[in-house]
Amino acid sequence: MTALRLALMQYPVERPDSVASWGAKLDRWLAEARDQGAGLAVLPEYACVELGSALAGRAPAGEAEELAAMVEAAPRILDRMREAAMAAGLWLLPGTLPQRDADGAVRNRAPLIAPDGRLAFQDKHAMTRFEAERWGVTAGAPPRVFDTPWGRIGISICYDSEFPDHVRAQVEAGAWLILAPSCTDTPHGFNRVRVSAAARALENQCFVAVSPTVGEAPWSAALDRNRGRAAVLGPIDRGFPEDGVITEGVPDRPQWLLADLDPARIATVRREGAVFNHRDWPAGRFPAATPAAFA
C-alpha cells in the first residue's frame, strides 16, 4: 500500500442558487486540492444541503420543505458529484446527502467516488435528535469498508464516530483510516466528534480524519450555524505526536487541511507499539464490515 495525501475540507456554507452553481463551487475547491497533490478529498456531512432553500424556493425554507427539496434533487446532485470527481481526477467523499429508499425512508448517505466515476455508499447508522425528531431521517445500513489504492478505509459519519463499535467493525475488516465527515452547530457538538475521533484512533491504532462545515447560514434550516475544524488524529504511541494530533486546521475558517498518511505506520505501531490497543480490543456487537461493491 502506498502513502496517501489526504485533503480535508473546512467547508464554507454559502448560498448557491442552483445545482449548477453548487457544482461550480465544488469544481473550484477540488481543483485547489488536486493542485496541492491530494489523492482523496473529503467534504463534510450535509455539505450539499446549503442548496436546500434555493431548491425549495424559499429562504429560509421550513425544515420539511428543505428536506423534501433535497431528496427530490438528490439524483442530480449525486450526478454532479460524480462529474466533479472525474473532472478533478480525485477520489472524492463529497459529504453526505439525504436520499429516499424504496421503503420510503430517507437516509443520510455518503458516497465514495472513484476518479472513473464508480461509487459506493456508507449510510449513517446513528441518528442525532435533529435528524430523528425534526427531519425524519432514518438509521441506515451497518458499517462497510472501501477498497482504494491506499488500502481499505472506513467512513463513520459524524454521530457514528461517537460509538466505538461502528468504527471497530471497519477496523476489524481491515480499515487503517476512518473518514468522519461532520456537521455540528456548536462547539459542544464539534468537540464531541473531535474527542470521539481521538478516542477511536487510540482504541484502534488507526488514523481518523474529521471534515466539518463552517460558517453562518440563516437561510438554511439544517445548516444555520456551523462550527468546527478539520483534524487528523492518530495513535498516541511511538512514532506519533505525544497527543496523537497529526494536524488540525484553524477553527471555523474555510480551508483545505492536507496530511500525508502512510498505512505502513499503522502496521508498525500495531506490531511494535508500547501498547496493543488494536489487538486487545474485545469483540464488538457488529460483525466485521463487508466490502462495498463499486458500480
Side-chain angles (χ1 to χ4, degrees):
M1 292 185 287
T2 60
L4 163 66
R5 172 157 284 191
L6 178 67
L8 301 171
M9 181 135 213
Q10 296 185 182
Y11 184 86
V13 177
E14 297 170 336
R15 199 171 180 177
D17 60 9
S18 66
V19 174
S21 62
W22 178 82
K25 172 184 176 178
L26 182 58
D27 287 339
R28 288 192 299 271
W29 279 107
L30 292 183
E32 187 175 308
R34 178 196 60 213
D35 291 347
Q36 295 182 70
L40 168 60
V42 180
L43 275 63
E45 179 186 35
Y46 288 135
C48 65
V49 173
E50 66 180 358
L51 277 166
S53 61
L55 295 174
R58 284 199 337 133
E63 292 172 357
E65 293 172 304
E66 183 178 67
L67 181 63
M70 289 302 303
V71 168
E72 189 277 331
R76 287 187 290 139
I77 295 170
L78 183 60
D79 285 345
R80 190 61 183 87
M81 290 170 169
R82 293 180 71 185
E83 291 173 11
M86 291 187 287
L90 294 173
W91 283 77
L92 174 64
L93 196 174
T96 71
L97 71 163
Q99 292 184 304
R100 191 176 303 279
D101 284 336
D103 63 1
V106 175
R107 293 183 169 88
N108 183 15
R109 185 160 286 149
L112 183 64
I113 307 171
D116 61 6
R118 292 175 302 122
L119 55 81
F121 296 97
Q122 174 64 63
D123 290 353
K124 189 174 185 179
H125 190 74
M127 297 294 98
T128 63
R129 292 191 65 188
F130 175 83
E131 289 170 307
E133 299 173 15
R134 291 166 55 182
W135 246 24
V137 178
T138 300
R144 308 174 82 181
V145 287
F146 301 81
D147 291 317
T148 75
W150 309 281
R152 281 192 172 174
I153 65 175
I155 301 170
S156 193
I157 301 166
C158 199
Y159 195 37
D160 280 342
S161 70
E162 299 182 32
F163 297 92
D165 287 347
H166 193 277
V167 170
R168 185 64 190 181
Q170 295 168 328
V171 169
E172 287 180 349
W176 64 278
L177 166 65
I178 305 297
L179 306 177
S182 70
C183 178
T184 50
D185 61 357
T186 65
H188 289 98
F190 160 69
N191 280 304
R192 282 195 299 270
V193 174
R194 166 67 172 72
V195 170
S196 297
R200 304 295 84 81
L202 181 153
E203 293 161 353
N204 296 289
Q205 294 178 298
C206 68
F207 293 116
V208 181
V210 179
S211 170
T213 50
V214 298
E216 302 289 319
W219 61 87
S220 174
L223 302 181
D224 52 342
R225 297 182 208 65
N226 302 271
R227 304 294 304 277
R229 60 176 168 177
V232 180
L233 296 310
I236 303 176
D237 209 326
R238 297 167 180 160
F240 293 87
E242 292 179 350
D243 60 1
V245 179
I246 307 302
T247 186
E248 58 187 346
V250 178
D252 301 327
R253 188 178 80 182
Q255 67 175 110
W256 282 114
L257 180 70
L258 281 89
D260 294 313
L261 304 179
D262 189 346
R265 294 181 67 194
I266 297 300
T268 297
V269 75
R270 289 176 177 176
R271 184 178 63 247
E272 301 174 5
V275 291
F276 292 119
N277 302 79
H278 172 261
R279 185 198 68 183
D280 295 337
W281 184 263
R285 63 185 177 92
F286 286 115
T290 58
F294 288 88

